[in-house]
Amino acid sequence: MSDPTKPKMSASKAEILDAAAEVFMTLGAEAASIDDVARHLGATKGRIYHHFPSKGALLAEVCLRAADFVLQKVPPVVQATALPADNLRNMILTHIPEVLRTLPYHKVIIQSYVGVQQKSTTAHERELFAQIQLERKAYESLFRQVLQAGMDDGSFRAQDVSVALQSLLLLINAPVFWYRPRDNEPEAFVTDLSVQLADMAVASLQ
Amino acid sequence: MSDPTKPKMSASKAEILDAAAEVFMTLGAEAASIDDVARHLGATKGRIYHHFPSKGALLAEVCLRAADFVLQKVPPVVQATALPADNLRNMILTHIPEVLRTLPYHKVIIQSYVGVQQKSTTAHERELFAQIQLERKAYESLFRQVLQAGMDDGSFRAQDVSVALQSLLLLINAPVFWYRPRDNEPEAFVTDLSVQLADMAVASLQ
């Protein structure tokens, strides 16, 4: 979650993660190498290895930062006293612009959704992947709570909450699959898109 | 589409495609080799090369068959005189069980959704991939038509039809991401799941 005790990431580390996210998105995390990331960054491999002991660790930290981005922005918009539909709408209106602002990170995350077996990894990488799972669960649970609250008060249709949750998460991440920023994009494009998907998501539950 | 002039696939070819879909799903299409498929099949590489000139061609034919499965089942349920919401519901109630029946093929398809650049391919592979694009467009256009019909008659909310279409397609393919057949699965599981997603999809548009 947005942890105020978490030390702020160095600009150098953030710059490497930005480059890695771009390269993993374009070439695929499986095929891309530390060399590819260094080349994209115009830096030596040594500079990357100074911060990240292996490609697996670099990939894990890209995924972790993807989760961090939304976990810093979305939980604060949930209000204990708001109606479930209003909370859900505000969560989605915050989630989508944040995901599109940090698109390469989320393109890398969806590569991991396709369920290909992970290669065996180091203890450090396994620890990072366990942390990713925790953050992903924390984020999902935020949505699960609002779905459950809506079913409990009757504003959402009674249904299997896990199926609804997974479907909802794919629906609000749909633009990660197809969205490409364009030079001539209308200023309101992302806002309009977010409103349309928030409308669809809330309506889908009612 | 369900083309009666299309010659029926030989059992041997279908068996190789089934094995390839399993192997590509598990190892990732990028990492898997013809050797892996031959081993899974308990056959020689020669038997595979007899039907498929390259791994790229084998992968393309897996994707093509994934598209064929739904294109054979779904178009016949659309009725020119039915309400758009009823057509959409019937399409989804047909789509989901068919996709889950042929799950490994669709797991391979979603690997290609993550947008990793394709390696350069042979002319034959490029031809197959062009055919996949055509079939995918034909299938999407079936859904686009029913969305447009619903917006035209006012039964669906007016909205950007392309955004709605992409979101709807992800929603109805959500189970491809998380579904795993289980030995103790209740008999009605897939039916119940299909009904829940059809409800969500139709409601999301209203």
Side-chain angles (χ1 to χ4, degrees), chain A residues 26 159-160 167 170 196-197, chain B residues 117 159-160 167 174 196-197:
Chain A
T26 310
Q159 54 185 311
D160 183 306
S167 310
L170 267 167
Q196 181 174 348
L197 286 172
Chain B
Q117 279 171 359
Q159 55 184 310
D160 183 306
S167 310
Q196 181 173 349
L197 285 173

Side-chain angles (χ1 to χ4, degrees), chain A:
Chain A
M1 316 291 276
S2 175
D3 181 352
T5 65
K6 215 175 198 172
K8 203 170 151 28
M9 185 179 289
S10 72
S12 174
K13 201 173 168 185
E15 198 188 9
I16 294 169
L17 288 174
D18 284 351
E22 285 273 355
V23 169
F24 292 160
M25 165 179 79
T26 310
L27 301 179
E30 181 79 17
S33 66
I34 293 265
D35 269 318
D36 294 320
V37 178
R39 205 163 20 241
H40 185 77
L41 200 57
T44 63
K45 283 207 285 188
R47 191 177 140 204
I48 298 175
Y49 280 120
H50 176 69
H51 292 284
F52 305 95
S54 64
K55 190 189 100 176
L58 182 56
L59 172 60
E61 296 227 32
V62 165
C63 294
L64 205 50
R65 198 167 186 223
D68 280 345
F69 284 130
V70 288
L71 271 170
Q72 276 168 29
K73 290 282 175 76
V74 173
V77 308
V78 179
Q79 297 193 306
T81 55
L83 295 173
D86 291 340
N87 269 333
L88 182 59
R89 168 175 297 280
N90 287 330
M91 290 160 74
I92 296 171
L93 292 178
T94 309
H95 171 92
I96 292 174
E98 182 61 9
V99 161
L100 296 186
R101 188 183 72 79
T102 56
L103 186 65
Y105 287 85
H106 299 279
K107 288 258 187 197
V108 175
I109 283 277
I110 62 170
Q111 288 177 10
S112 73
Y113 282 5
V114 300
V116 173
Q117 278 170 359
Q118 289 286 339
K119 296 247 174 64
S120 60
T121 50
T122 66
H124 175 60
E125 290 171 19
R126 279 196 297 276
E127 202 174 290
L128 288 171
F129 279 109
Q131 202 181 333
I132 295 167
Q133 286 310 316
L134 279 182
E135 298 217 352
R136 200 173 280 182
K137 287 262 176 255
Y139 197 58
E140 284 187 10
S141 121
L142 204 68
F143 283 86
R144 185 182 287 272
Q145 280 164 32
V146 76
L147 288 186
Q148 193 60 60
M151 289 189 212
D152 290 346
D153 76 8
S155 56
F156 293 156
R157 199 170 57 245
Q159 54 185 311
D160 183 306
V161 69
S162 295
V163 170
L165 175 66
Q166 294 309 323
S167 310
L168 181 75
L169 291 173
L170 267 167
L171 183 67
I172 67 173
N173 285 309
V176 179
F177 291 83
W178 59 260
Y179 176 78
R180 294 273 181 290
R182 285 168 301 153
D183 286 340
N184 60 348
E185 181 175 286
E187 212 181 320
F189 184 82
V190 171
T191 308
D192 291 347
L193 175 61
S194 305
V195 169
Q196 181 174 348
L197 286 172
D199 284 344
M200 286 184 76
V202 171
S204 77
L205 298 164
Q206 290 172 332

